[in-house]
Amino acid sequence: MSDGQMTDLTELAQQLRVDAVRCSEVASSGHPTSSLSAADLMAVLLARHLRYDFDDPSNPENDHLIFSKGHATPLLYSMYKAAGAISDDELVTYRALGSRLEGHPTPRLPWVEVATGALGQGLPIGVGTALAGKRLDRLPYRVWVLCGDSELAEGSMAEAFEHAGYEGLDRLVAIIDVNRLGQRGPTRFGWDTGAYARRIEPRGWNTIEIDGHNPQEIEQAYAAAESSAKPTAILARTTKGAGVSAVADQEGKHGKPVPDVDEAISELGGPREIRVGVVKPSYTAPPHSFGEPARYEPPTYNVGDDVATRNAFGEAFAALGHARPDVVGLDAEVSDSTRMQFFAKEHPDRFFQFYIAEQQMIAAAVGLQVRGWKPYAATFAAFLSRAYDFIRMAAISRADLRLVGSHAGIAIGQDGPSQMGLEDIAALRAVHSSTVLHPCDGNQTAALVGEMADRTGISYLRTGRGETPVIYGPDEDFPIGGSRVLRSSSDDAVTLIGAGVTVHEALAAADQLESEGVRARVIDVYSIKPVDAFTVRAAAEETGCLVTVEDHWAEGGLGDAVSDVFASGIPTPAMIKLAVREMPGSASPAEQLRMAGIDRAAIASAVRTFLTNRSVTARPTR
Amino acid sequence: MSDGQMTDLTELAQQLRVDAVRCSEVASSGHPTSSLSAADLMAVLLARHLRYDFDDPSNPENDHLIFSKGHATPLLYSMYKAAGAISDDELVTYRALGSRLEGHPTPRLPWVEVATGALGQGLPIGVGTALAGKRLDRLPYRVWVLCGDSELAEGSMAEAFEHAGYEGLDRLVAIIDVNRLGQRGPTRFGWDTGAYARRIEPRGWNTIEIDGHNPQEIEQAYAAAESSAKPTAILARTTKGAGVSAVADQEGKHGKPVPDVDEAISELGGPREIRVGVVKPSYTAPPHSFGEPARYEPPTYNVGDDVATRNAFGEAFAALGHARPDVVGLDAEVSDSTRMQFFAKEHPDRFFQFYIAEQQMIAAAVGLQVRGWKPYAATFAAFLSRAYDFIRMAAISRADLRLVGSHAGIAIGQDGPSQMGLEDIAALRAVHSSTVLHPCDGNQTAALVGEMADRTGISYLRTGRGETPVIYGPDEDFPIGGSRVLRSSSDDAVTLIGAGVTVHEALAAADQLESEGVRARVIDVYSIKPVDAFTVRAAAEETGCLVTVEDHWAEGGLGDAVSDVFASGIPTPAMIKLAVREMPGSASPAEQLRMAGIDRAAIASAVRTFLTNRSVTARPTR
């Protein structure tokens, strides 16, 4: 670079610093010091290496820029201003009510593809987008991820380094802002960039250690990254708060405005009005396509046959792969159990193996959907809990993800509680705009696998390990938000509500009760969120008592979803919730259902007790 | 070792193999092949290196043995038999209803300290127990952790290697059974033990690569580990299914009995009746103590002052540290925010910094409590989601943990949704035998911090970022399972139920309604699980309508906890649930509450609407 180019970059970096300090001051909050350390790194990137069309964020050729250190939004938004994407007037709306410039980046801004702010997520998500570039789109876009040094302590970062190296994601660049200071004090390794290099390099990465405030070294590092055959980690030694002596390299200055903004701006050389003409990507080729869409031809099962819903998922998803060239399958080393293996076999180009790294699997799904691919990620329902923070954040990313959790509930039997998904419904219901589906038979499962394909938000399919009887024909529709009334009469004394394996127990209980002269309505609430409020409320009005039965802990699951239907001041029925309440051990599936009190006998018994008590006490509510 | 000793070890290993094959056959399930690979490793450990008193599992001098590859229970239980701890009759109850020999190990067995079975957890838990040995008990016990090779893909394992190396846990030994085959096929690195060594050694570990079926090499490795000044990873190349040619080194043989048990036993040389006299630890010294217990003198706050509950937690926990020499504090690099920093400052010997590695933090808490220490682990409520699988498993471990989640809800304000705990109550309620507490003022917080100290199971304290007025005096009691009725009269038309920040909004709404001639009862449900069913039911009977208000998603939180009180067929009141339903952005705390419809105005408005509708429609329930 010429001296003039160097000067221009230094000036740009100082402008980013001034704007970062300014917007944090206006907001009275934010992270200017974490922005100041990375300003030179981002100035060189923005001016010389990023290929991005700010007028067309959906351009498939665009590079991708992820702030894994999401708190550095003062810097990110100052870059947007320098690129002409936002005005100075908008910059100073930072963190105000209604502003797109939130405290941490979210896709409310068209140039932000994924939300960050929970540390350790940006790089694993970037791995997903880089995978899309290499294996799906087959386009040369780069994925630049600005990481903090503190977040390298997260195991998810290790998963990301491992996976990117293994897949040879040469267009992924991790720019690591080693500013030595975390939120509450020094990091484990301080400025020892070599310590990081020794951990990253063996994983198949190119590592480069530089002075993160020297534009020349930064430039050389980016150029080296662009010609590397491996993913590149640039370990940049920086000073937190660089450029503002009142805060530079000091503890206790994290996450707050600088003490004297005027003095800081003056020290930084005052405001500037540099506008960067960010280079747009040059056209190469359209994204790769895996063929034309076709009609989804799900597998079909005969009524009365016994089919495991996990099996139906596997067969249906493989079939969906033929109909939908945009769906992709993700596994964390359990595809033989989840039955994702069928898709893997038939669509190896669209199948991704993450080994036992659920966080990286979910993060990659987020990164893949950034480019329009439709990921289905499957593991045991219990092990989705490993990636719960990633699922939570995916909702803030407005990501469209499809999750599949197999081996739901105690009905798995002998393996014991570590393998049983018993909190998955609660966890997934409590994700913003999520969908929670729990089919009870093969044909219903196959239909729901298709329904999920175009569902927005986080949709979750809960499947079972063991076989259950097929009760629906192959041509029936199961819209999300619907339910099925399986038994109904004008003199139903009670309504039994189940999903998955408990539908079959409820049906058997209804048969038993009918033999005793008690009519019970039975509803299959295969869509737990959104739940079919209309049908549930009608049952409440017509039968007066709802008995929910679920293979899940008593908290946050099907029972709570049904209760919620009445939480708007409307008249409420009597409710009985049957759920798992004691820690299970090992036992056969039937023994487990019996011990937990969610089998047919327990349901019938609960109904009898309720009806007896009601006839005795008959106490009205107000 | 002499040839005779070698032969004895080989014979013992074959016995372990035979018994592993036998018990899996009786159970018709289980993981014999994953047991066969590690039989030699465990034979040498049991016979020559483990120091353990099977008659006194609580002996503080005992070594600790953790099967991180928890599915290898056929091997673990065969070791217990060889040690004389269980009989052969009990061995063949494996995985049967009522047996202590569950599919994956749990503390139903006195020699199992922590549950495993979710991979990647045993080693981080072992780090916690080794920390207890080095820094708290100050005893020379060793922690031996048998790991699988597949589970090394979990980021939590990277966190564990990092932390153990950093802390110099020389008495921690990871025995890694590199059998090349995961559940659904080959692992990423196969038998390349060097690939693992290159990843582990830079983290401050001693690594030893051996043939895992050669007793001499195993013996030497253990001896080297015992004299190492660093933690040691023994990378043992093994054959999955070793000793049984029908399954050895073959894909598709995971997690199922061998095809012909008689042939397998014959190939293994038939049953043996070897009994190992496991060496008991020799007495050295009692565990270190940090002094005598004293009376807990919590901080006190004046009614009417404004105090953040996170601050009260920090001050109270520091005070508890003086009263209780057995409590310890754990941080994941946010102690300035959670206020764990006060404890860190006053009790540095009992404070543990994990940097940003929430999984390792929670796992270490589990490992510390194994030795009787009482861990309080704090991070942002949102980031506890990072460790949800560890919390789930901790419940199966019957662990006593105290979790603290700060920055609850939208009330944090400008930082935006990535930092807001909005699913934490749902997630923590859905943990077996958990306790969920959410105080609204400083004195209540301080009291609950003390209540948690002797609580069994997983207890969770949810604290807020901003200040709230102190409404309770410093000498009031707040038992777990209780609540506080803050407004009550004989003509209450409705009941408002809140916790944390919404208590104050409910009080203000009640004041507003009273000025309009409407009396509202107000209940502070600081104990969300267990909830005070008696008080809630009484309010339902007496006022007919419950309005719950929570700074949490609408699913699985306070509202659902209150609904649950009526889910046993008893008469139900009208319910109105006010909760967060739209994705928040950045805004001030007051703006956030208003936008979400959970502030005083929204509460009052909901009550007015309900009362108007009720007077108009007056439709009875059945």
Side-chain angles (χ1 to χ4, degrees):
Chain A
M1 278 193 301
S2 69
D3 287 353
Q5 286 170 320
M6 286 277 283
T7 304
D8 288 350
L9 290 170
T10 303
E11 284 296 298
L12 175 59
Q14 292 298 80
Q15 170 175 312
L16 298 178
R17 288 190 169 95
V18 168
D19 285 342
V21 165
R22 284 176 59 233
C23 68
S24 302
E25 178 70 13
V26 175
S28 300
S29 69
H31 293 81
T33 56
S34 301
S35 296
L36 293 169
S37 57
D40 301 295
L41 292 165
M42 290 299 100
V44 179
L45 182 70
L46 189 71
R48 298 178 57 90
H49 292 272
L50 187 71
R51 296 290 173 269
Y52 194 85
D53 185 351
F54 274 91
D55 296 326
D56 181 12
S58 66
N59 184 335
E61 310 281 344
N62 278 342
D63 281 358
H64 301 266
L65 173 61
I66 302 172
F67 265 44
S68 194
K69 51 178 290 185
H71 51 289
T73 41
L75 175 59
L76 180 65
Y77 302 154
S78 296
M79 291 170 71
Y80 291 162
K81 182 193 144 185
I86 66 169
S87 67
D88 195 71
D89 285 350
E90 183 166 9
L91 181 68
V92 295
T93 67
Y94 179 50
R95 288 175 166 246
L97 175 64
S99 172
R100 302 185 295 179
L101 307 186
E102 296 187 24
H104 294 76
T106 76
R108 287 178 66 188
L109 283 163
W111 318 287
V112 174
E113 295 174 327
V114 294
T116 50
L119 289 170
Q121 299 208 7
L123 187 63
I125 291 171
V127 168
T129 304
L131 279 172
K134 178 162 184 162
R135 291 189 41 194
L136 301 175
D137 290 329
R138 303 178 187 175
L139 288 175
Y141 53 73
R142 284 203 163 69
V143 181
W144 306 89
V145 184
L146 178 65
C147 305
D149 48 353
S150 276
E151 67 176 329
L152 296 187
E154 286 282 12
S156 56
M157 298 296 268
E159 294 179 11
F161 284 118
E162 194 68 84
H163 200 76
Y166 180 73
E167 293 269 1
L169 300 178
D170 55 316
R171 292 181 171 270
L172 176 66
V173 186
I175 305 163
I176 303 168
D177 179 19
V178 184
N179 67 21
R180 180 185 87 78
L181 290 173
Q183 156 166 348
R184 62 70 273 167
T187 61
R188 191 177 258 145
F189 299 115
W191 273 321
D192 183 2
T193 51
Y196 296 114
R198 286 191 293 279
R199 286 156 172 79
I200 298 169
E201 188 278 335
R203 299 196 136 106
W205 283 61
N206 176 31
T207 59
I208 305 173
E209 297 170 57
I210 63 167
D211 172 355
H213 299 310
N214 182 322
Q216 193 79 49
E217 290 189 31
I218 299 169
E219 168 66 23
Q220 287 167 356
Y222 290 158
E226 286 171 341
S227 63
S228 170
K230 300 174 179 179
T232 298
I234 298 169
L235 291 152
R237 179 182 155 136
T238 64
T239 300
K240 194 164 181 171
V244 178
S245 49
V247 295
D249 197 31
Q250 292 170 43
E251 293 187 39
K253 305 297 183 188
H254 180 95
K256 55 186 74 163
V258 300
D260 185 328
V261 68
D262 292 329
E263 189 178 285
I265 292 172
S266 169
E267 185 180 352
L268 291 165
R272 295 157 179 84
E273 284 300 334
I274 302 168
R275 183 64 49 90
V276 178
V278 176
V279 176
K280 296 180 181 180
S282 53
Y283 180 83
T284 53
H288 177 75
S289 162
F290 291 89
E292 293 302 310
R295 190 182 144 83
Y296 171 45
E297 303 282 359
T300 59
Y301 305 99
N302 296 323
V303 172
D305 283 359
D306 289 325
V307 174
T309 52
R310 62 172 170 148
N311 231 49
F313 157 71
E315 295 175 344
F317 185 50
L320 187 71
H322 291 290
R324 295 289 300 255
D326 54 351
V327 302
V328 297
L330 287 74
D331 176 33
E333 234 273 72
V334 286
S335 49
D336 53 335
S337 289
T338 62
R339 307 305 199 219
M340 177 63 85
Q341 63 186 357
F342 304 145
F343 182 93
K345 191 170 177 194
E346 295 184 31
H347 312 283
D349 290 351
R350 286 182 280 148
F351 171 72
F352 296 85
Q353 177 58 261
F354 293 92
Y355 298 92
I356 309 183
E358 294 83 3
Q359 296 184 98
Q360 176 59 77
M361 176 174 72
I362 299 300
V366 174
L368 289 164
Q369 63 87 45
V370 161
R371 285 288 309 124
W373 300 96
K374 295 183 180 296
Y376 284 66
T379 183
F380 282 34
F383 304 146
L384 283 172
S385 63
R386 195 61 152 265
Y388 192 41
D389 195 23
F390 287 78
I391 299 169
R392 175 185 82 87
M393 288 295 300
I396 303 174
S397 287
R398 282 70 168 171
D400 298 331
L401 296 191
R402 293 141 209 93
L403 308 177
V404 181
S406 69
H407 293 64
I410 57 171
I412 68 165
Q414 287 84 351
D415 270 337
S418 66
Q419 316 296 302
M420 296 171 174
L422 284 167
E423 60 296 302
D424 55 319
I425 299 177
L428 270 297
R429 279 182 70 229
V431 168
H432 185 252
S433 71
S434 64
T435 298
V436 178
L437 307 171
H438 187 19
C440 71
D441 92 342
N443 288 319
Q444 189 180 52
T445 304
L448 292 173
V449 168
E451 292 285 327
M452 291 168 83
D454 292 313
R455 185 77 179 172
T456 57
I458 316 293
S459 52
Y460 172 52
L461 184 77
R462 185 185 210 227
T463 65
R465 176 180 183 277
E467 294 179 339
T468 47
V470 176
I471 61 172
Y472 298 113
D475 295 326
E476 300 188 40
D477 287 331
F478 297 97
I480 290 172
S483 68
R484 276 307 179 89
V485 179
L486 291 167
R487 297 274 194 285
S488 181
S489 77
S490 56
D491 58 347
D492 292 335
V494 66
T495 299
L496 311 180
I497 301 180
V501 69
T502 63
V503 168
H504 305 283
E505 298 302 318
L507 285 169
D511 290 345
Q512 174 61 35
L513 290 166
E514 185 162 6
S515 75
E516 300 166 15
V518 174
R519 290 291 190 92
R521 185 167 302 183
V522 178
I523 306 179
D524 168 12
V525 183
Y526 61 83
S527 178
I528 295 176
K529 181 184 175 186
V531 75
D532 182 354
F534 180 84
T535 298
V536 169
R537 286 181 186 147
E541 280 201 26
E542 292 162 25
T543 73
C545 177
L546 308 182
V547 180
T548 59
V549 196
E550 60 194 303
D551 189 358
H552 185 276
W553 295 127
E555 296 86 7
L558 172 65
D560 284 2
V562 169
S563 289
D564 185 61
V565 162
F566 302 95
S568 56
I570 63 175
T572 46
M575 298 277 309
I576 297 173
K577 186 197 287 184
L578 302 181
V580 182
R581 294 174 190 274
E582 300 299 325
M583 182 62 74
S586 288
S588 73
E591 289 166 343
Q592 297 277 15
L593 294 173
R594 175 167 59 77
M595 297 289 288
I598 58 170
D599 70 343
R600 53 200 66 189
I603 299 168
S605 172
V607 170
R608 286 186 209 106
T609 303
F610 170 75
L611 294 176
T612 304
N613 287 350
R614 184 166 67 176
S615 67
V616 173
T617 62
R619 187 169 52 165
T621 56
R622 278 177 58 172
Chain B
M1 278 193 298
S2 68
D3 286 355
Q5 287 170 319
M6 286 278 283
T7 304
D8 288 350
L9 291 170
T10 301
E11 283 296 298
L12 175 60
Q14 293 298 80
Q15 170 175 311
L16 297 178
R17 288 191 169 96
V18 168
D19 285 342
V21 165
R22 284 176 59 233
C23 68
S24 303
E25 177 69 15
V26 175
S28 300
S29 68
H31 294 80
T33 56
S34 301
S35 296
L36 294 169
S37 58
D40 300 296
L41 292 164
M42 291 299 100
V44 179
L45 182 70
L46 189 71
R48 297 179 58 90
H49 293 272
L50 188 71
R51 296 290 173 271
Y52 194 84
D53 184 351
F54 275 91
D55 296 326
D56 181 12
S58 66
N59 183 336
E61 310 282 342
N62 277 343
D63 281 358
H64 301 267
L65 172 61
I66 303 171
F67 265 43
S68 194
K69 50 177 292 184
H71 51 289
T73 41
L75 175 59
L76 180 65
Y77 302 154
S78 297
M79 292 170 70
Y80 291 162
K81 182 193 144 186
I86 65 170
S87 67
D88 195 71
D89 285 349
E90 182 166 10
L91 181 68
V92 295
T93 66
Y94 181 48
R95 287 175 167 247
L97 174 64
S99 173
R100 303 185 295 179
L101 308 186
E102 296 187 24
H104 294 77
T106 76
R108 286 177 68 188
L109 284 163
W111 318 287
V112 173
E113 294 173 328
V114 294
T116 51
L119 290 171
Q121 299 207 9
L123 187 63
I125 291 170
V127 168
T129 303
L131 279 171
K134 178 163 185 161
R135 291 187 41 192
L136 301 176
D137 290 328
R138 304 179 188 174
L139 289 176
Y141 52 73
R142 285 203 161 70
V143 181
W144 307 89
V145 184
L146 178 65
C147 305
D149 48 353
S150 276
E151 67 176 329
L152 296 186
E154 287 282 12
S156 55
M157 298 295 269
E159 294 179 11
F161 284 119
E162 193 68 84
H163 200 76
Y166 180 73
E167 294 269 0
L169 300 177
D170 55 316
R171 293 181 171 269
L172 176 66
V173 186
I175 305 163
I176 304 168
D177 178 19
V178 185
N179 67 21
R180 182 185 87 76
L181 290 173
Q183 154 165 354
R184 60 70 274 165
T187 61
R188 192 176 256 144
F189 299 114
W191 274 321
D192 183 2
T193 52
Y196 296 114
R198 286 191 294 279
R199 286 156 172 79
I200 297 169
E201 188 278 335
R203 299 195 138 108
W205 283 61
N206 176 31
T207 59
I208 305 172
E209 298 169 56
I210 62 168
D211 172 355
H213 298 310
N214 181 324
Q216 192 80 49
E217 290 190 31
I218 298 168
E219 168 66 24
Q220 288 167 357
Y222 290 158
E226 285 171 342
S227 63
S228 170
K230 300 174 179 178
T232 298
I234 297 169
L235 291 152
R237 179 183 155 133
T238 63
T239 300
K240 193 164 180 171
V244 178
S245 50
V247 295
D249 197 32
Q250 291 171 44
E251 293 188 37
K253 305 298 182 187
H254 180 95
K256 56 185 72 162
V258 300
D260 185 328
V261 68
D262 293 328
E263 189 178 286
I265 292 172
S266 169
E267 184 179 353
L268 291 165
R272 293 156 179 86
E273 284 299 335
I274 303 168
R275 183 62 51 89
V276 178
V278 176
V279 176
K280 296 180 181 179
S282 53
Y283 180 84
T284 53
H288 177 76
S289 161
F290 291 89
E292 292 303 309
R295 191 182 143 83
Y296 171 45
E297 303 282 359
T300 60
Y301 304 99
N302 296 323
V303 172
D305 283 359
D306 289 325
V307 174
T309 51
R310 62 173 168 146
N311 231 50
F313 157 71
E315 294 174 345
F317 185 51
L320 187 71
H322 292 289
R324 295 290 301 253
D326 54 351
V327 302
V328 297
L330 287 73
D331 176 33
E333 233 272 71
V334 287
S335 49
D336 54 333
S337 289
T338 61
R339 306 307 198 219
M340 178 63 85
Q341 63 185 358
F342 304 146
F343 182 92
K345 190 169 179 197
E346 295 183 29
H347 312 283
D349 289 351
R350 286 182 279 149
F351 172 72
F352 295 85
Q353 177 59 262
F354 293 92
Y355 298 93
I356 309 183
E358 294 83 2
Q359 296 184 101
Q360 176 58 77
M361 176 175 71
I362 300 300
V366 175
L368 288 164
Q369 63 87 46
V370 160
R371 284 288 310 125
W373 300 97
K374 295 183 180 295
Y376 284 66
T379 182
F380 282 35
F383 304 146
L384 282 172
S385 63
R386 196 60 152 268
Y388 191 41
D389 194 23
F390 288 77
I391 299 169
R392 174 185 81 87
M393 288 296 299
I396 303 174
S397 287
R398 283 70 169 172
D400 298 332
L401 296 190
R402 293 139 209 93
L403 308 178
V404 182
S406 70
H407 293 65
I410 58 171
I412 68 165
Q414 287 85 351
D415 270 336
S418 66
Q419 315 298 301
M420 296 169 173
L422 284 166
E423 60 296 302
D424 55 319
I425 298 176
L428 270 297
R429 280 181 70 229
V431 168
H432 185 252
S433 70
S434 63
T435 298
V436 178
L437 307 171
H438 187 19
C440 72
D441 91 343
N443 289 320
Q444 190 180 52
T445 304
L448 292 173
V449 168
E451 292 286 327
M452 292 168 82
D454 292 311
R455 185 77 178 168
T456 57
I458 316 292
S459 52
Y460 172 53
L461 184 77
R462 185 185 210 227
T463 65
R465 176 180 183 278
E467 294 178 340
T468 46
V470 176
I471 60 173
Y472 299 113
D475 295 326
E476 300 187 41
D477 286 332
F478 297 97
I480 290 172
S483 68
R484 277 307 179 90
V485 179
L486 291 167
R487 296 274 194 287
S488 180
S489 76
S490 57
D491 58 346
D492 293 334
V494 65
T495 300
L496 311 179
I497 301 179
V501 70
T502 62
V503 168
H504 306 283
E505 298 301 318
L507 286 170
D511 290 345
Q512 175 61 36
L513 290 166
E514 184 163 7
S515 74
E516 299 166 19
V518 175
R519 289 292 190 92
R521 185 168 301 183
V522 178
I523 306 178
D524 168 13
V525 183
Y526 62 83
S527 178
I528 295 177
K529 181 184 176 188
V531 75
D532 181 355
F534 180 84
T535 299
V536 169
R537 285 180 187 147
E541 279 200 28
E542 292 163 23
T543 73
C545 177
L546 307 182
V547 180
T548 59
V549 196
E550 60 194 304
D551 190 357
H552 185 276
W553 295 127
E555 297 85 7
L558 172 65
D560 284 2
V562 169
S563 288
D564 185 61
V565 162
F566 303 96
S568 54
I570 64 174
T572 48
M575 298 276 310
I576 297 173
K577 186 197 288 183
L578 302 181
V580 183
R581 294 174 191 275
E582 299 300 324
M583 182 62 76
S586 288
S588 73
E591 288 167 341
Q592 297 277 17
L593 294 173
R594 175 167 59 79
M595 298 289 287
I598 58 170
D599 70 344
R600 54 200 66 191
I603 299 167
S605 172
V607 170
R608 287 186 209 106
T609 302
F610 171 75
L611 295 175
T612 304
N613 287 349
R614 184 167 68 175
S615 67
V616 172
T617 62
R619 188 168 51 162
T621 57
R622 278 176 60 170

